[in-house]
């Protein structure tokens, strides 16, 4: 009768323990680097895509909650990416905590907005004329306010945002 005997199992156990020990050391030593990489990756991603700067529906108008806020994506100290929203009567600041460019060029952002206490996920597309449009905007539960480039409340397409000087 062929098969494994107890010595085979002991040897296999020792080999597995050795491999898991090495894996554990590799993970432990890579943790400090993993903590800093996402912030640098976010800044480089949004810079590469062309998002850094001020954006508005109409740059000639003063910021207004009804006629369009001015959105400013900036790289702050430590390569942190910040979104400042100016509504005319108030300004808030949020951290862009994730950014990824999809194969089709869509910029996917994850933003934590302290004023509402939640993270939002945005998808932005850059149009040939240099304007950008929101393709989606959802909370972490998957509830959309913008889906497929349209506001879920009324079905209207999202307007283009222009880069302000």
């Amino acid at each position: 009768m062929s098969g494994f005997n107890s010595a085979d199992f002991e040897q296999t156990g020792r080999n597995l323990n050795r491999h898991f020990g090495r894996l554990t050391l590799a993970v432990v030593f890579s943790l400090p680097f993993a903590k800093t990489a996402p912030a640098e990756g976010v800044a480089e991603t949004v810079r590469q895509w062309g998002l850094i700067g001020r954006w508005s529906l109409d740059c000639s108008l003063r910021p207004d909650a009804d006629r369009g806020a001015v959105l400013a994506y900036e790289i702050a100290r430590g390569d942190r990416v910040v979104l400042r929203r100016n509504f005319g009567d108030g300004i808030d600041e949020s951290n862009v905590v994730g950014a990824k460019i999809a194969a089709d060029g869509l910029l996917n952002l994850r933003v934590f907005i302290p004023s509402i206490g939640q993270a939002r996920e945005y998808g932005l597309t850059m149009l040939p004329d240099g304007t950008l449009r929101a393709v989606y905007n959802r909370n972490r539960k998957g509830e959309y306010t913008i889906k497929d480039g349209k506001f879920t409340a009324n079905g209207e397409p999202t307007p283009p945002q222009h880069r302000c000087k």
Side-chain angles (χ1 to χ4, degrees), residues 42-121:
V42 170
E44 183 55 35
T45 299
V46 299
R47 187 181 292 127
Q48 175 188 346
W49 193 81
L51 184 64
I52 299 303
R54 295 173 59 233
W55 299 87
S56 179
L57 296 176
D58 185 342
C59 297
S60 68
L61 298 177
R62 295 175 58 86
D64 184 278
D66 295 325
R67 294 181 307 202
V70 173
L71 308 177
Y73 293 90
E74 303 169 357
I75 298 178
R77 207 167 16 121
D79 256 2
R80 187 172 62 99
V81 178
V82 174
L83 165 60
R84 288 191 176 89
R85 302 184 305 170
N86 184 342
F87 298 101
D89 60 352
I91 297 173
D92 69 9
E93 184 176 298
S94 305
N95 289 316
V96 179
V97 295
K100 184 176 180 183
I101 302 170
D104 62 359
L106 187 73
L107 178 63
N108 297 287
L109 297 177
R110 192 170 49 254
V111 178
F112 180 74
I113 305 171
S115 62
I116 59 174
Q118 67 175 245
R120 305 279 312 169
E121 294 175 349

